[in-house]
Amino acid sequence: MPLIRVLNRLRGFVSRKHGLESLGAQSHRFQHTATHSSSCNYQLLPDCLELNYGGLVMHFDYVWLRDHCRSASCYNSKTNQRNLDTASIDLTIRPSKSRVDEHNLFLTWPDGHVTRYNLAWLAQNSYEGQMRSAIQPRILWNAHIYSSAKVPAANWDKFMSCDEELKNFLNNFLLYGIAFVEGVPPTLEATETVTQRVSLIRETIYGRMWNFTSDFSRGDTAYTKLALDRHTDTSYFQEPCGIQVFHCLRHEGTGGRTLLVDGFHAADTVLQQTPENFQLLSHVPIKHDYVENLSDHRNHMIGIGPVLNVYPWNNEVYMIRYNNYDRSVINTVPHDVVRRWYVAHRKLTAELRRADNELWVKLKPGKVLFVDNWRVLHGRESFTGLRQLCGCYLTRDDVLNTARSLGLQA
């Protein structure tokens, strides 16, 4: 949607309840009604098929139904790819016959082609089904919830050789947005090895693997001994890095604890308490940028997007882009909206800064931390002495791919 249309909608914004409201009541004239099973009722309406299965009422457009035929001529089950040319479907198509049995719905199309739909598959893949389900299971947490869960860290030796250990690690990572591997040799090479067990490494302007101290070798506060407030990394990328890996190779000094905050927990609190603020944060796009003018590094990165990224059909947050250090000039929001945006941003910031939401962890040599950079904010307290940290970013798609290959929902 063009920015001006988003902003115009926000000017006249009226808060909505959690989830999407009805798309509007429609007056239907029934052309066909069938009741063949106590657990399944369906009706052929003028513009769609209405299906009541397992207590869930769903609506399927006829073009959608024809497009999602899984017969051998329409779909290659070996490659899981569509054979049917979607552009060839008559946009006014309607089935000529229909029937249902205990597990399946059968539609016969005007050309005689018969499509069989598994009822459970339809329920799982319907819009209404998606509204009731989450894309990725998660446990929202504050410091007490996470500490009480006593989530175990993976063991380096077992992690590298046992798929079940990897699966348990990824399950914890998906649920909480953070996970640990202990017993890793405190070297850059071992850190690289343990990350590659999970995913491909994403190379960025910072390189492939980074290994740094507080020498201000890059134009970023992270390369100092100063405290860092909670934030997500690479907010100035069009696609922020999905996963970040930290390994403290050595620290000869004091301080330097790592701060972790569940951004989704804070966002959910905002949604429940002030849904109008949630809507602003999930609709108003703002800019983040990174400007680096050093002799060896010259970069200017710009990322644009809302603070909260949500799936519009169920308001499920899938990414938070929060970095007060790198937020650019706000010039994408008109004056009559910007003050309301500041109010919403302040509400989210207050939740993120609640002491009971702060999980403090002391990273030590051998303990590798994986952070979901689309969910969990990180920071650190100031420190003294020499502190050497290494790590990298991982490609999010490949992390989720690994999880799915092990049978996890991701």
Side-chain angles (χ1 to χ4, degrees), residues 262-282:
D262 185 359
F264 288 179
H265 179 272
D268 187 67
T269 301
V270 174
L271 173 63
Q272 301 303 325
Q273 295 182 355
T274 56
E276 67 278 8
N277 289 329
F278 182 93
Q279 288 295 322
L280 281 164
L281 293 172
S282 61

Side-chain angles (χ1 to χ4, degrees), residues 359-388:
L359 179 67
W360 290 94
V361 178
K362 180 66 174 179
L363 297 182
K364 299 179 179 180
K367 187 172 186 175
V368 178
L369 167 63
F370 290 71
V371 179
D372 184 343
N373 187 56
W374 283 20
R375 171 181 176 179
V376 175
L377 288 71
H378 66 277
R380 69 156 186 249
E381 62 182 0
S382 62
F383 63 91
T384 65
L386 176 65
R387 184 172 183 261
Q388 183 181 3

